Amino acid sequence: MLKTIARFTLVPAAALALAACTSSPTSTDFDKLTAEVVKASFQDKGIAKVDRLIKDESNSACWAADVAGKPIDEKLAKAIEAAEMKTIKWPSDGKFLGDWKEGERIAQSGRGLTWSDKADSANGGNCYNCHQITKEEISFGTLGPSLYNYGKLRGVTDPNSPASKAIVEYTWGKMWNSRAYTACSQMPRAGHKGILTEQQLKHVMALLLDPASPVNK
């Protein structure tokens, strides 16, 4: 009960503290207040831990730029991309593609990472929430570009050919850690953050690049 009361009194108490300042509150003051309110509003439950609220360098920099209403500094963006690029782990066996049928199932699933899920349960890719995947779909998110004909449009007729190497590696890297290519990308860092396993990523790669996949029909 006391913990609950503390949560509800945090906002007015903090606001009063700011109001009591001799000078006007700064953006730093408000940032600190916001962080305190958010932290007090969550608690560890199952596999969903409070540490998810901790920002890494890219999150902090991109958030600050967004609040300021202007693009992130170009030099800082390049530094973030370079650091994130180092986190990419390539397929342990050198093979990039799995089963596109499994990939479609993963891409169309938004399951996982909630407090009620088990730590060892498989997560979905939630790809449909931001992208169109096949032409048959009538409902899909538009935050990201359409993925329909992804491989076909990029000339990937044989994903294992030397000519396709660049796009295959780019696609893997983008899914592993999208911020290696765009500092403030909103695409989940599926591999880097452990959302999808290496094998799951291979399946989604096949969905995007296998000529037999419905994505490329």
Side-chain angles (χ1 to χ4, degrees):
M1 175 64 75
L2 290 176
K3 187 173 182 180
T4 301
I5 293 174
R7 287 182 183 174
F8 281 102
T9 58
L10 175 62
V11 177
L16 287 173
L18 286 177
C21 295
T22 56
S23 57
S24 299
T26 65
S27 60
T28 301
D29 294 326
F30 284 115
D31 289 346
K32 183 179 180 181
L33 171 60
T34 300
E36 291 175 349
V37 171
V38 171
K39 185 177 181 179
S41 300
F42 292 88
Q43 60 182 333
D44 289 349
K45 192 169 184 179
I47 63 171
K49 308 296 184 182
V50 176
D51 60 10
R52 293 185 182 182
L53 301 175
I54 299 174
K55 300 186 186 75
D56 59 20
E57 181 183 1
S58 63
N59 283 333
S60 297
C62 294
W63 181 82
D66 189 51
V67 170
K70 55 185 179 182
I72 187 173
D73 177 78
E74 186 175 350
K75 289 185 178 180
L76 178 56
K78 293 299 182 184
I80 289 173
E81 290 166 8
E84 299 288 329
M85 182 65 75
K86 293 178 181 179
T87 71
I88 295 176
K89 295 181 180 179
W90 305 103
S92 56
D93 59 0
K95 298 179 181 179
F96 286 87
L97 271 62
D99 181 348
W100 69 258
K101 293 179 181 179
E102 282 296 309
E104 186 172 35
R105 184 185 63 77
I106 294 166
Q108 297 289 3
S109 171
R111 183 65 188 270
L113 298 177
T114 68
W115 66 269
S116 60
D117 292 303
K118 294 182 179 179
D120 59 352
S121 61
N123 301 314
N126 204 31
C127 307
Y128 70 94
N129 206 37
C130 295
H131 305 276
Q132 178 187 20
I133 299 174
T134 66
K135 64 179 179 180
E136 288 80 14
E137 291 177 315
I138 59 173
S139 179
F140 47 84
T142 56
L143 182 60
S146 171
L147 297 177
Y148 180 55
N149 276 343
Y150 181 87
K152 188 175 182 179
L153 289 173
R154 290 160 179 77
V156 180
T157 56
D158 178 4
N160 297 310
S161 68
S164 299
K165 182 179 179 181
I167 190 62
V168 169
E169 291 184 347
Y170 165 79
T171 304
W172 178 273
K174 185 75 172 181
M175 288 199 296
W176 188 277
N177 188 342
S178 60
R179 291 194 172 180
Y181 302 87
T182 305
C184 292
S185 171
Q186 297 183 54
M187 180 174 170
R189 292 173 277 182
H192 180 51
K193 292 298 184 179
I195 299 171
L196 297 179
T197 65
E198 178 181 302
Q199 189 58 53
Q200 284 182 307
L201 283 172
K202 288 184 179 185
H203 293 326
V204 178
M205 286 283 289
L207 175 67
L208 295 175
L209 296 169
D210 190 330
S213 163
V215 165
N216 297 307
K217 294 295 187 181

